[in-house]
Amino acid sequence: MYLLDTNRLSPGWVTGHGSWLDGPLFTSSVSAQELLGMQRPDRETGYRYALPVLDERVTAIRNGAPPEALVRWAIDHEKLSVSRHTDRFPVPRSRLRAESLELGHVAIAVAHSGGHDRLLRAFASRGLRGKTLKRVLSKWEYLRSDVEAVIPLDEEIAAEAVVLANEFIEGGYRVKGTARNTMNDMYVAATSQVQGIPLLTDDAQLKLFYQECGWSVTEKESVFVVTPSPRRADTLMDLKSPSDSREYINRPPWLRSRVNQNPPPLPR
């Protein structure tokens, strides 16, 4: 099995490399969001659109209403805000990026596993138009047919990403585009490490960074196969400074207490 980086999420590429891609393919919710145009690529924050979470917890809130009924409700609710009914949690600051609010990572994973095609189409059409929307819908079809699962960003992966982001800056590596773009790379790498799934990427700069982190990197047909090293408890260092009351060791209580993976109840 492999975790596909955003730049490898391509039906043409997967088809052309099927001879050695054995086992299921996965991707991070961060990569899925980038592929589907959810994030605003030219900004450090903000989303064009996000999906509401439609899973068993919300279904129970709706008195046992079937998921399809919730999809119909969400589609008909034209004034639903981007963030009101999606999952969200803050990611602490790193040397790369200030504290940020991440939206919709559980929602996109749930929509993928539940096959909520109409939901994706309805919400994407509110943030995208014309040819851009058509391309995104085609990419969604590819995700649904060729990718086994979308792995959502969570607090454990975010913790690893903060450590990697600090190491990236301390190593003198160049930030490409916005800090958000590079932080997305750290989220994907952290997903690979936490899940223990080799990562496929073609980013030469990240290849050097991963090697410096002690990860194994091999090359197959112009793509790097990155295998993370075993996680060490001492790498999740205390980031507390004298002028900062925050601390961050693995999954700290202060972060867990603030994480809100459950969206507010849908209106009856």
Side-chain angles (χ1 to χ4, degrees), residues 59-73:
T59 301
I61 290 172
R62 295 285 291 173
N63 297 320
E68 183 59 27
L70 296 179
V71 172
R72 288 197 300 271
W73 172 86

Side-chain angles (χ1 to χ4, degrees), residues 1-4 9 14 22-28 108-115 140-152 197:
M1 66 178 67
Y2 296 99
L3 184 76
L4 298 178
L9 279 174
V14 169
D22 54 331
L25 301 175
F26 298 86
T27 196
S28 162
I108 189 63
V110 169
H112 180 272
S113 64
W140 171 250
E141 292 179 4
Y142 156 67
L143 277 181
R144 292 271 293 112
S145 63
D146 286 22
V147 175
E148 182 74 16
V150 174
I151 302 173
I197 303 174

Side-chain angles (χ1 to χ4, degrees), residues 14 26 30 41 50 59-61 66 75-77 103 106 130 140 163 190 195 202 205 240 242 248-249 256:
V14 169
F26 298 86
V30 174
T59 301
I61 290 172
I75 291 174
D76 294 338
H77 203 287
L103 304 177
V106 172
W140 171 250
V163 173
Q195 297 295 328
D202 66 354
Q205 178 181 240
K240 185 176 180 180
Y248 199 65
I249 304 177
R256 287 200 299 269

Side-chain angles (χ1 to χ4, degrees), residues 18 33 35 62 78 146 154 187 191 205 209 228 234 242 256 265 267:
Q33 286 191 352
L35 184 76
R62 295 285 291 173
E78 295 182 357
D146 286 22
D154 62 19
Y187 289 142
T191 301
Q205 178 181 240
F209 172 65
D234 61 348
R256 287 200 299 269

Side-chain angles (χ1 to χ4, degrees), residues 8-264:
R8 293 298 87 192
L9 279 174
S10 163
W13 183 86
V14 169
T15 300
H17 294 74
S19 60
W20 61 272
L21 282 177
D22 54 331
L25 301 175
F26 298 86
T27 196
S28 162
S29 58
V30 174
S31 294
Q33 286 191 352
E34 290 186 283
L35 184 76
L36 298 173
M38 293 183 172
Q39 300 181 2
R40 295 186 180 276
D42 57 337
R43 299 185 184 180
E44 291 293 351
T45 60
Y47 290 78
R48 291 191 180 102
Y49 69 99
L51 305 182
V53 178
L54 299 185
D55 63 3
E56 294 79 7
R57 294 170 299 177
V58 181
T59 301
I61 290 172
R62 295 285 291 173
N63 297 320
E68 183 59 27
L70 296 179
V71 172
R72 288 197 300 271
W73 172 86
I75 291 174
D76 294 338
H77 203 287
E78 295 182 357
K79 294 184 180 180
L80 191 66
S81 69
V82 167
S83 62
R84 185 178 177 188
H85 295 293
T86 194
D87 59 282
R88 53 196 180 276
F89 70 92
V91 175
R93 68 175 179 83
S94 66
R95 291 178 177 86
L96 173 62
R97 193 182 184 209
E99 183 180 72
S100 61
L101 185 65
E102 290 292 334
L103 304 177
H105 292 275
V106 172
I108 189 63
V110 169
H112 180 272
S113 64
H116 297 313
D117 300 334
R118 290 179 58 215
L119 184 74
L120 187 284
R121 178 184 292 272
F123 278 78
S125 65
R126 295 174 189 178
L128 306 172
R129 294 290 185 273
K131 293 181 179 180
T132 301
L133 175 61
K134 185 175 181 180
R135 285 195 298 268
V136 162
L137 295 178
S138 176
K139 291 173 181 178
W140 171 250
E141 292 179 4
Y142 156 67
L143 277 181
R144 292 271 293 112
S145 63
D146 286 22
V147 175
E148 182 74 16
V150 174
I151 302 173
L153 179 67
D154 62 19
E155 60 198 60
E156 184 176 12
I157 293 172
E160 294 282 359
V162 167
V163 173
L164 289 171
N166 289 341
E167 293 177 348
F168 185 88
I169 295 300
E170 291 166 0
Y173 289 94
R174 180 173 57 89
V175 173
K176 295 177 293 185
T178 64
R180 181 183 198 174
N181 293 336
T182 299
M183 193 67 202
N184 283 348
D185 291 332
M186 302 300 104
Y187 289 142
V188 172
T191 301
S192 173
Q193 187 171 38
V194 170
Q195 297 295 328
I197 303 174
L199 171 66
L200 299 185
T201 183
D202 66 354
D203 192 307
Q205 178 181 240
L206 289 177
K207 167 201 170 185
L208 296 176
F209 172 65
Y210 297 144
Q211 288 176 321
E212 189 170 296
C213 290
W215 297 7
S216 171
V217 180
T218 58
E219 185 172 356
K220 290 186 178 182
E221 299 181 30
S222 300
V223 67
F224 304 118
V225 182
V226 182
T227 303
S229 60
R231 302 168 69 201
R232 305 195 320 267
D234 61 348
T235 61
L236 293 175
M237 60 193 70
D238 188 350
L239 302 182
K240 185 176 180 180
S241 68
S243 62
D244 190 351
S245 62
R246 296 167 180 163
E247 62 181 69
Y248 199 65
I249 304 177
N250 201 358
R251 301 172 65 183
W254 73 263
L255 177 61
R256 287 200 299 269
S257 65
R258 296 174 58 193
V259 170
N260 179 15
Q261 294 280 42
N262 295 294

